[in-house]
Amino acid sequence: MDLESRKQLPLFSIGIVEKLTGLSARQIRYYEQHELVKPARSAGNQRLFSFVDVERLIQVSALLDEGLNMEGVKARMKRLVANETQDKKQSEPTDQQVFERMRQEMLEHPGGSGSSEFQGDLFRFYRKR
Amino acid sequence: MDLESRKQLPLFSIGIVEKLTGLSARQIRYYEQHELVKPARSAGNQRLFSFVDVERLIQVSALLDEGLNMEGVKARMKRLVANETQDKKQSEPTDQQVFERMRQEMLEHPGGSGSSEFQGDLFRFYRKR
DNA sequence: CGTCATATGTAATGTTTCCTTACATCAAGC
DNA sequence: GCTTGATGTAAGGAAACATTACATATGACG
């Protein structure tokens, strides 16, 4: 079995993942509800997390700390995964990809200069705190 | 945290270790009784195994398959651990160590030529099956 | 200011997994 | 045939986890 497979082995109970990530069980389940992780299940329906799951949860936690909300995290994670898989095919990004990154960057860090009527709407990606 | 510390993190419940090692919970607990592994415990007294523990259990399983019994496994494991730690200090074994290895080898694979009155006694290290 | 939505805490209740202890079994050797 | 060593299995209790529902804090926004 190669490293990639190992990292996807369902190994950890939610209690261990709490300690590994610093998140509460409530948070972990909430993020699962939003499909940010999809842990496997035991025969008795208990969650079993892989290394990949744990890494994702840590990423999610970091993005929340950056001020993003669930929807923002989802958007960013989707972009991250897309970049990862594409990075394996070709390291050089196409112009189209660069453009897309810029667009996303603006989406996630708005208020630079535009400040249009859509400004307020972008806050749907930011957390209230 | 370095790799060595990571490998000692108490991460796995006994159910997972059953799957990782192919051993039954009964076997794992029995080997623990014989101090072949010493898993950590949760606040609620449940066993928590590390990678090191899992590796040791797999070693134990292999040695049992070779025909050793508990006492034989203990002796061999003790020797393995001793060699590992000493290997970190010096790769070159001394003559004394080589001699000791030969002696252990003969102990574990008896009957080559000696066949003395002690022959039968050595079977205390072998399994009945 | 009051309301609303989001992220998280907490409590209730049932199920799964694990614990220890004890007894059963099976093979091998004497 | 009787031990002995390794493992299976059952019983009863405790820990960990599941789902669901309700509570709460905080910031946005009219």
Side-chain angles (χ1 to χ4, degrees), chain B residues 21-94:
Chain B
T21 62
L23 297 168
S24 70
R26 181 69 170 90
Q27 288 174 303
I28 296 167
R29 296 191 187 112
Y30 187 66
Y31 304 157
E32 183 191 9
Q33 268 194 307
H34 285 271
E35 299 188 309
L36 290 170
V37 284
K38 300 184 182 181
R41 295 282 183 145
S42 74
N45 197 37
Q46 309 214 166
R47 272 166 266 256
L48 290 175
F49 298 82
S50 68
F51 281 103
V52 173
D53 292 324
V54 172
E55 286 170 6
R56 275 184 76 87
L57 284 171
I58 290 173
Q59 282 182 16
V60 169
S61 180
L63 293 179
L64 289 175
D65 284 344
E66 284 182 23
L68 292 178
N69 67 3
M70 280 298 113
E71 293 309 314
V73 173
K74 285 184 200 176
R76 179 80 82 88
M77 296 287 279
K78 191 180 297 179
R79 193 160 62 86
L80 283 177
V81 171
N83 285 346
E84 276 173 18
T85 54
Q86 112 199 334
D87 281 355
K88 286 177 184 169
K89 296 176 191 166
Q90 60 189 62
S91 304
E92 291 293 328
T94 66

Side-chain angles (χ1 to χ4, degrees), chain A:
Chain A
M1 197 187 321
D2 65 347
L3 180 61
E4 213 46 44
S5 311
R6 274 184 222 277
K7 290 182 74 172
Q8 301 199 94
L9 280 180
L11 295 176
F12 308 115
S13 67
I14 199 170
I16 295 297
V17 177
E18 286 190 74
K19 292 186 181 164
L20 288 177
T21 62
L23 297 167
S24 71
R26 180 68 169 92
Q27 287 174 304
I28 295 167
R29 296 190 186 114
Y30 186 66
Y31 304 158
E32 183 192 9
Q33 268 195 307
H34 285 272
E35 299 188 311
L36 289 170
V37 284
K38 301 184 182 180
R41 296 282 182 144
S42 75
N45 198 38
Q46 309 214 163
R47 271 166 267 254
L48 289 176
F49 297 83
S50 69
F51 281 103
V52 173
D53 292 326
V54 172
E55 285 170 7
R56 274 184 77 87
L57 285 171
I58 290 174
Q59 281 182 17
V60 169
S61 180
L63 293 179
L64 288 174
D65 283 345
E66 282 182 25
L68 292 178
N69 67 2
M70 280 299 115
E71 292 308 313
V73 173
K74 285 184 201 176
R76 180 80 82 90
M77 296 287 280
K78 190 179 297 179
R79 193 161 62 85
L80 283 177
V81 172
N83 285 347
E84 276 173 20
T85 54
Q86 114 198 332
D87 281 355
K88 285 177 184 169
K89 296 177 190 166
Q90 60 189 64
S91 303
E92 292 293 328
T94 66
D95 289 14
Q96 181 59 41
Q97 287 162 7
V98 171
F99 172 73
E100 177 62 16
R101 288 194 195 185
M102 283 177 55
R103 198 182 69 82
Q104 291 284 352
E105 201 63 29
M106 293 191 305
L107 256 179
E108 289 157 13
H109 296 108
S113 60
S115 185
S116 70
E117 54 190 334
F118 301 116
Q119 181 70 74
D121 221 38
L122 290 175
F123 270 94
R124 74 184 182 281
F125 276 176
Y126 277 80
R127 296 189 77 183
K128 314 156 183 172
R129 61 162 156 177

